[in-house]
Amino acid sequence: VQLVESGGGSVQAGGSLRLSCEISGATGSSFVAGWFRHGQSGGYGREGNFGREGVAALDSSNGRVSYAASVKGRFTISKDKHKDILYLQMDNLKPEDTAMYYCAADFVHLLFQTYRELTPSEYDYRGQGTQVTVSS
């Protein structure tokens, strides 16, 4: 399984970006996929691990989604209906959103059912990341 992120860049505060994550090697499988970030400050959020904060997660089997409190109402996670492509629409960006953003996928661990969908260490596969920089 491979994950490749794209769509990062530099924007001013209040701007928008859409990140994409193409997941290959998972044909026909249900999965939980999420977005995580690692900022300069360490970015500890829910169940922070190694400085990575869980931002949003989606269960491909039923469309259930979950968001960190820091991004709720500003970020939207979604999946292409026909392809294994995960998106993160980021609106009203703030300087504190500056970070390296990673997508990750898991096929085994029932993360939503066990309330671990925003825990980075629970995911088996991760991409290389894409940088998002928000200036004030």
Side-chain angles (χ1 to χ4, degrees):
V1 176
Q2 290 187 321
L3 295 84
V4 179
E5 303 94 337
S6 61
S10 298
V11 295
Q12 290 189 326
S16 298
L17 284 173
R18 189 174 83 154
L19 305 183
S20 300
C21 173
E22 186 168 353
I23 304 170
S24 59
T27 305
S29 301
S30 295
F31 55 85
V32 171
W35 288 96
F36 303 86
R37 63 187 181 185
H38 187 174
Q40 292 178 345
S41 65
Y44 288 100
R46 190 206 293 197
E47 303 293 337
N49 291 273
F50 309 107
R52 294 195 182 96
E53 177 186 16
V55 174
L58 176 147
D59 188 330
S60 73
S61 67
N62 56 26
R64 184 176 176 182
V65 297
S66 177
Y67 296 96
S70 58
V71 305
K72 203 167 187 179
R74 300 188 298 123
F75 291 11
T76 304
I77 188 171
S78 62
K79 178 187 173 297
D80 186 281
K81 291 182 180 180
H82 305 292
K83 301 178 182 179
D84 288 336
I85 301 176
L86 188 73
Y87 300 104
L88 184 69
Q89 177 67 40
M90 305 185 295
D91 298 319
N92 191 21
L93 281 160
K94 303 176 180 180
E96 52 264 42
D97 294 318
T98 295
M100 181 70 78
Y101 283 72
Y102 303 85
C103 68
D106 183 87
F107 300 85
V108 178
H109 298 111
L110 303 177
L111 298 183
F112 271 86
Q113 291 86 335
T114 54
Y115 306 101
R116 295 176 292 160
E117 71 276 8
L118 291 180
T119 303
S121 61
E122 297 291 344
Y123 286 75
D124 289 337
Y125 301 96
R126 180 170 67 91
Q128 292 300 307
T130 185
Q131 178 68 37
V132 171
T133 302
V134 185
S135 59
S136 58

